[in-house]
Amino acid sequence: IMNEQNTERLMRICRKVEGNCMGMRVRRAARVVGNYYDLHLKSVGLKGTQFTLLNAIFLNPSITITQLADLLLLNRTTLNRNLKPLERQGLIRTSPGKDQRTRILQLTQAGRSILQQALPLWLEAQSGVVETLGIRIQRLAEDLSQHEKLEPHSGASPQLD
């Protein structure tokens, strides 16, 4: 009987977690929005995450992998895993930095061309998200900026892919 009561109690608690967990809700929403961007960018062969990387590298010429990881709140292992396909496709290049441990990222001409082709597609996706969420999207963007303060140390563990 005691075991059955504990199981029922645990089930009630887990149902509350399932219905109220903000971490799960944010991850689910991120997947839905991410998939929406992926769909729009598919015709140029990019995922939304890859577009984000190309855009960040373009805006920050000669950025190091560590600097980019810090900028995007990603750990270096995750970032490196996401950069490899872009490098294989010839969209970015890495070169040695000031010392052996530092690598500098740059867009290639092909990367710049793909970024230019992707921008109108991104804008279309962005407009769709804004149109769907209306005025709430601005508040959400502001709220999400505040939530970044929850990150205990830049480069910790959020996943890009």
Side-chain angles (χ1 to χ4, degrees):
I1 293 180
M2 187 63 147
N3 195 16
E4 193 174 309
Q5 287 176 333
N6 285 341
T7 299
E8 287 177 26
R9 181 175 175 269
L10 184 58
M11 287 289 274
R12 280 194 310 275
I13 293 169
C14 288
R15 281 192 184 104
K16 285 182 182 179
V17 168
E18 180 182 52
N20 296 302
C21 179
M22 293 310 296
M24 181 194 68
R25 286 179 172 195
V26 168
R27 282 190 297 277
R28 185 180 290 166
R31 278 192 300 275
V32 169
V33 172
N35 289 340
Y36 187 76
Y37 281 90
D38 289 351
L39 184 65
H40 280 79
L41 294 165
K42 188 175 186 176
S43 66
V44 291
L46 291 179
K47 292 182 176 278
T49 53
Q50 294 171 320
F51 173 83
T52 298
L53 292 172
L54 293 177
N55 193 64
I57 294 167
F58 177 76
L59 290 174
N60 299 280
S62 300
I63 191 169
T64 67
I65 289 178
T66 300
Q67 290 168 333
L68 185 58
D70 289 345
L71 177 70
L72 299 175
L73 298 176
L74 293 167
N75 66 48
R76 285 177 45 130
T77 302
T78 300
L79 179 58
N80 274 309
R81 184 176 61 241
N82 285 279
L83 289 171
K84 282 181 184 174
L86 297 175
E87 191 168 17
R88 276 194 307 268
Q89 294 168 31
L91 303 179
I92 63 168
R93 78 171 138 263
T94 61
S95 55
K98 293 177 185 171
D99 61 46
Q100 298 282 15
R101 299 169 299 163
T102 306
R103 288 185 18 227
I104 293 177
L105 299 166
Q106 294 177 315
L107 277 190
T108 62
Q109 194 57 43
R112 187 181 175 123
S113 175
I114 288 289
L115 180 61
Q116 286 177 310
Q117 292 171 48
L119 282 166
L121 303 172
W122 174 87
L123 188 57
E124 191 177 293
Q126 180 79 356
S127 296
V129 170
V130 170
E131 185 178 308
T132 300
L133 295 177
I135 192 75
R136 295 176 296 170
I137 193 67
Q138 183 59 40
R139 184 165 159 221
L140 177 62
E142 291 167 5
D143 289 349
L144 289 173
S145 292
Q146 288 299 310
H147 294 315
E148 287 178 6
K149 294 176 183 174
L150 295 174
E151 183 67 21
H153 177 274
S154 63
S157 62
Q159 300 296 307
L160 184 63
D161 59 325

